[in-house]
Amino acid sequence: MKRVLTYGTFDVLHYGHINLLKRAKALGDYLIVALSSDEFNKIKNKKSYYTYEQRKKILEACRYVDLVIPEDNWEQKILDVQTYKADIFVMGDDWEGKFDFLKEYCEVIYLPRTPDVSSTQTKDYLNKTI
Ligand code: C2G
């Protein structure tokens, strides 16, 4: 039973997120998503359209996601890997190298981002068309 762990805000869920979640799940049998809390988004300077609870509900409806846990800070990853017995840590390659410190605890894989789609782009487009 290979357990995969990934992190993110996943606001205004789009096919780039789904591509990431699908490939992450395909690396194992069980996918845990640590979802950025609204407070942590502030620390990341990210303003999400949907609240944590709304983003959690949307992610839980995704067939590739088995468990959603909160991401509250930058420092929790090592403890999360140990607590949830993650075998593989996965992130999009915009984070390439940033989490290599986890290699002591689990496999670290960066996957190519899906080009030309982002929550920001979608929100900007919708703002223009309203
Ligand atoms: N992603 C992707 N392709 C896109 C957009 C996003 O593969 N077109 C991936 C990102 O690389 C990330 C995941 O989808 O692995 C979630 O993206 P965000 O919600 O933007 O995550 P981010 O704000 O980068 O948070 O501690 C880590 C942070 O919480 C990561």
Side-chain angles (χ1 to χ4, degrees):
M1 169 83 153
K2 264 209 173 174
R3 301 162 65 85
V4 185
L5 175 61
T6 190
Y7 290 73
T9 297
F10 293 99
D11 190 31
V12 187
L13 204 65
H14 54 65
Y15 64 92
H17 294 136
I18 298 299
N19 280 345
L20 188 283
L21 295 168
K22 181 174 184 174
R23 287 174 293 161
K25 178 63 178 279
L27 292 167
D29 311 283
Y30 189 86
L31 176 60
I32 302 153
V33 178
L35 184 62
S36 307
S37 64
D38 297 327
E39 297 72 25
F40 184 53
N41 270 341
K42 286 200 190 82
I43 296 170
K44 288 200 299 186
N45 273 324
K46 267 202 165 180
K47 177 110 191 56
S48 69
Y49 179 76
Y50 291 121
T51 65
Y52 173 81
E53 283 310 319
Q54 290 165 338
R55 290 181 283 120
K56 181 171 189 278
K57 195 185 286 280
I58 293 166
L59 270 185
E60 285 173 339
C62 175
R63 62 172 46 199
Y64 305 117
V65 176
D66 295 289
L67 177 67
V68 178
I69 62 171
E71 177 186 32
D72 297 306
N73 56 63
W74 290 114
E75 296 75 31
Q76 68 183 75
K77 291 185 176 68
I78 293 174
L79 186 61
D80 288 345
V81 169
Q82 293 166 331
T83 308
Y84 295 95
K85 299 180 176 46
D87 302 289
I88 308 173
F89 168 86
V90 175
M91 285 304 292
D93 62 4
D94 48 314
W95 292 93
E96 182 80 41
K98 297 284 189 311
F99 301 114
D100 288 357
F101 63 88
L102 290 170
K103 286 184 175 171
E104 279 177 65
Y105 305 93
C106 63
E107 205 180 330
V108 173
I109 296 176
Y110 301 101
L111 296 172
R113 273 175 76 94
T114 302
D116 310 327
V117 62
S118 73
S119 307
T120 310
Q121 207 177 308
T122 309
K123 289 188 269 190
D124 289 351
Y125 174 80
L126 291 175
N127 284 332
K128 285 201 193 75
T129 51
I130 292 169

